[in-house]
Amino acid sequence: MTDSAIRHLELGDGTPLVMIHGYTVDHRVLLPIEPAFADRPGWRRLYLDLPGHGASPRLPGPTSAATLADAVLDWIHAELGEQPFAVLGQSFGGQLARAVTARFGAQVLGSALLVPVVHWGPDRTLPGTTVAERDDKLLDRLPPADRELFGLVMARHTARNWKLFEQYVRPGWRAHDPAAAAELEADFLLPYWPEHRAPEHQGRHLLVTTRQDALVGWRDQLALLDHYPRMAATVLDGVGHNPQVECAETVQGLIGAWLDELPRSRPRPRPRPASVNR
């Protein structure tokens, strides 16, 4: 972790890849992606903790989709300067990743969007069935709060998935700032689609959605294809809102194929703070 306003975990060297998690979790929910880099050196992974999540303090003012987007955009500008980079976002982080691509344009090599937020509330198109497998004996043993969240974000309610949930999802949930989360839930969408204020992005993009996603669904996300001419899209079956956790190997393969299509940039020196004459 660093001492910046947005705390982040940095792994590897090379072309930056900014990783943005979803609502009320933290960077740990994206760590199952790491095996995709085992035979792909040259990527500097920057796993963010959004303000009010994980190790990052909440914003000094109100928390909303717009204020979190501004914080991420400012952080990227300060951390990467004009260096080309890629971005990956999951759920709410997918909405922010779309804002990053719109703001930085050609500086963004491409994006990977995992079950990204597109609509919210009653405007969402959600699937009728969101459970693919259920172990009632397991669920009966869980504390009510854990049972509710586990059932909401996973499609297969099994002992295997419970262990994955305990490792990658629950720690971030327990670390988030509840007051900031309540503010964000009340102002969860950016005031406009980021794509509507930017030209079509010509980089390589990946969209991963799931048939059993109980939070964002999968149909609404397909509208993004109209804004990204080089976007590949996959709809996974039997998987919920955390595909990178619930079917990690499949998502690692999709992300690996996306990474292999991205142009590689020569890393530039990281920006240093200007010296101050006293």
Side-chain angles (χ1 to χ4, degrees), residues 142-158:
L142 302 181
D146 287 343
R147 181 169 61 244
E148 181 180 5
L149 182 61
F150 176 56
L152 189 62
V153 301
M154 304 291 242
R156 297 187 183 276
H157 306 159
T158 62

Side-chain angles (χ1 to χ4, degrees), residues 23 26 52 71 121 138 188 191 198:
Y23 173 66
D26 65 13
L138 167 69
F188 201 68

Side-chain angles (χ1 to χ4, degrees), residues 13-14 23-24 44 56-57 73 82 107 117 142 183 200 212 229 263 269:
D13 295 299
Y23 173 66
T24 65
R44 176 188 172 205
S56 295
L73 297 175
E82 297 181 357
Q107 188 178 343
V117 167
L142 302 181
E183 293 173 6
E200 289 184 345
Q212 286 78 30

Side-chain angles (χ1 to χ4, degrees), residues 125-148:
T125 305
L126 297 178
T129 300
T130 60
V131 178
E133 187 176 354
R134 181 183 178 94
D135 182 340
D136 287 317
K137 292 183 178 179
L138 167 69
L139 295 174
D140 289 343
R141 294 196 301 268
L142 302 181
D146 287 343
R147 181 169 61 244
E148 181 180 5

Side-chain angles (χ1 to χ4, degrees), residues 77-257:
H77 177 72
E79 180 73 21
L80 302 182
E82 297 181 357
Q83 187 176 174
F85 66 96
V87 61
L88 181 150
Q90 187 257 349
S91 187
F92 179 79
Q95 181 181 211
L96 298 186
R98 294 163 54 208
V100 168
T101 299
R103 162 65 177 81
F104 289 96
Q107 188 178 343
V108 177
L109 303 171
S111 71
L113 306 178
L114 309 181
V115 294
V117 167
V118 172
H119 296 301
W120 196 245
D123 295 331
R124 291 172 293 179
T125 305
L126 297 178
T129 300
T130 60
V131 178
E133 187 176 354
R134 181 183 178 94
D135 182 340
D136 287 317
K137 292 183 178 179
L138 167 69
L139 295 174
D140 289 343
R141 294 196 301 268
L142 302 181
D146 287 343
R147 181 169 61 244
E148 181 180 5
L149 182 61
F150 176 56
L152 189 62
V153 301
M154 304 291 242
R156 297 187 183 276
H157 306 159
T158 62
R160 170 190 176 273
N161 276 4
W162 170 249
K163 290 180 180 178
L164 293 171
F165 175 89
E166 283 187 297
Q167 183 175 359
Y168 295 113
V169 180
R170 190 169 64 171
W173 167 259
R174 291 183 168 180
H176 81 276
D177 184 311
E183 293 173 6
L184 178 57
E185 186 176 13
D187 199 354
F188 201 68
L189 291 179
L190 294 169
Y192 52 83
W193 272 35
E195 294 82 5
H196 292 169
R197 296 195 174 186
E200 289 184 345
H201 195 276
Q202 300 303 314
R204 292 298 183 100
H205 300 272
L206 172 67
L207 171 66
V208 178
T209 60
T210 73
R211 293 297 296 258
Q212 286 78 30
D213 191 320
L215 288 176
V216 303
W218 59 273
R219 291 184 182 273
D220 298 336
Q221 287 71 22
L222 299 183
L224 296 173
L225 294 173
D226 293 331
H227 301 276
Y228 300 92
R230 305 301 304 278
M231 174 175 273
T234 298
V235 183
L236 301 174
D237 181 51
V239 187
H241 190 60
N242 288 284
Q244 77 286 355
V245 175
E246 198 165 8
C247 61
E249 290 186 3
T250 299
V251 175
Q252 291 161 18
L254 292 168
I255 290 174

